[in-house]
Amino acid sequence: MITKRIIPCLDVRNGRVVKGVNFEGLSDVSSPVELGKYYSDCGADELVFYDITASAEGRALFTDILKEVAKTIFIPLTVGGGINTLEDFDRVLKCGADKVSVNSGAIRNPGLIKEAARKYGNQCVVISADVKRVDGVFRVFAKGGRENTGMEAIGWIKSCVQNGAGEVVLNSIDTDGVKGGFDLEMLKAVSDAVNVPVIASGGAGCSEDFVTLFNALPKVDAGLAASIFHFGEVQIPELKKILRENNINVRL
């Protein structure tokens, strides 16, 4: 049985971890270095680090803070934000990332995924899709959820995987920060469409939401969350204990 992963997410802006609701109204949480170490020490399976305004501000990702985070953790690190070229992949990997997450960069240049997968391997390339319902259709959004691309999301994600993305992070803008549970309908559509690991992001409000996720959608490989971990509403060791009690396989 595949072990399900629990992944905290650090949304970083101006060198600080921030959190909002539906991608808006961001408030300051903590230092990414301190928070990253805390999660590494308390049983998180991986860590995701997003420089959330790099794409919108048209700049490269902050590498100094990233290096500090990578030095202090002992779990796999996925990094995204402002990834537009192979040089960006190279720079982030040299800073200590294990996987690179690409979103707006792949929308602008669909060939980027294929090039990166060829050079660094599929396991290194993560497609992070910010998706929202527009008139009942799943649409892809760019620039940190600010811009509707008009692209239908399931077809887009499928094409990214066919081009070499080895993992999908599905961020539901509809459920982000709302704490009403993961977007099961959207996640089912994506996990049925691809044959690579799918990470659920957006909507976790309590431990039970992770139990529901993994029971309802066995194909989903991991649950990602931010604020419930950052604000201590859910402790990762306790969450894993609850998952185990519900016969969901996790690494303790």
Side-chain angles (χ1 to χ4, degrees):
M1 195 196 293
I2 291 171
T3 304
K4 301 300 185 186
R5 291 171 287 153
I6 302 301
I7 306 175
C9 176
L10 307 182
D11 290 326
V12 180
R13 181 181 69 172
N14 299 331
R16 298 285 294 174
V17 177
V18 294
K19 192 65 197 118
V21 177
N22 302 128
F23 285 33
E24 294 176 357
L26 301 173
S27 57
D28 185 89
V29 177
S30 182
S31 147
V33 180
E34 287 168 22
L35 213 48
K37 183 178 187 324
Y38 166 74
Y39 289 134
S40 179
D41 291 346
C42 77
D45 296 295
E46 297 186 14
L47 188 67
V48 168
F49 177 113
Y50 287 139
D51 184 342
I52 59 169
T53 53
S55 285
E57 292 169 7
R59 59 167 171 77
L61 183 140
F62 294 122
T63 49
D64 49 348
I65 296 156
L66 175 55
K67 281 179 186 165
E68 285 298 306
V69 171
K71 268 195 294 199
T72 55
I73 68 169
F74 299 95
I75 52 178
L77 175 63
T78 298
V79 176
I83 306 295
N84 294 299
T85 63
L86 281 184
E87 288 70 32
D88 292 328
F89 268 81
D90 195 55
R91 191 164 46 83
V92 167
L93 290 167
K94 281 177 178 160
C95 287
D98 299 282
K99 294 184 267 190
V100 181
S101 174
V102 62
N103 185 333
S104 296
I107 293 166
R108 271 192 297 275
N109 172 17
L112 179 60
I113 289 175
K114 194 175 271 186
E115 292 166 24
R118 198 177 293 137
K119 185 165 184 184
Y120 301 109
N122 299 44
Q123 81 292 336
C124 180
V125 183
V126 180
I127 180 66
S128 173
D130 296 336
V131 180
K132 187 177 182 177
R133 290 165 181 80
V134 179
D135 299 327
V137 179
F138 297 135
R139 297 290 182 198
V140 178
F141 278 65
K143 296 186 177 173
R146 294 169 183 82
E147 186 180 284
N148 182 359
T149 65
M151 291 194 297
E152 188 275 321
I154 309 304
W156 159 247
I157 291 167
K158 246 177 121 166
S159 72
C160 291
V161 170
Q162 286 163 354
N163 280 332
E167 195 165 71
V168 176
V169 176
L170 180 68
N171 311 302
S172 170
I173 298 174
D174 294 325
T175 59
D176 175 72
V178 178
K179 300 185 182 177
F182 289 100
D183 197 326
L184 300 180
E185 182 196 17
M186 193 185 285
L187 284 158
K188 182 176 188 330
V190 171
S191 54
D192 284 349
V194 299
N195 58 357
V196 298
V198 173
I199 297 169
S201 169
C206 60
S207 298
E208 192 56 42
D209 290 334
F210 288 85
V211 176
T212 302
L213 169 71
F214 294 130
N215 278 335
L217 299 173
K219 285 186 184 173
V220 169
D221 287 75
L224 179 149
S227 52
I228 58 164
F229 295 145
H230 299 344
F231 300 121
E233 294 160 51
V234 172
Q235 303 286 344
I236 290 173
E238 181 62 22
L239 168 59
K240 288 192 166 187
K241 192 163 154 277
I242 291 165
L243 290 169
R244 266 283 169 90
E245 286 163 1
N246 283 272
N247 299 314
I248 294 161
N249 195 25
V250 290
R251 181 183 66 85
L252 292 177

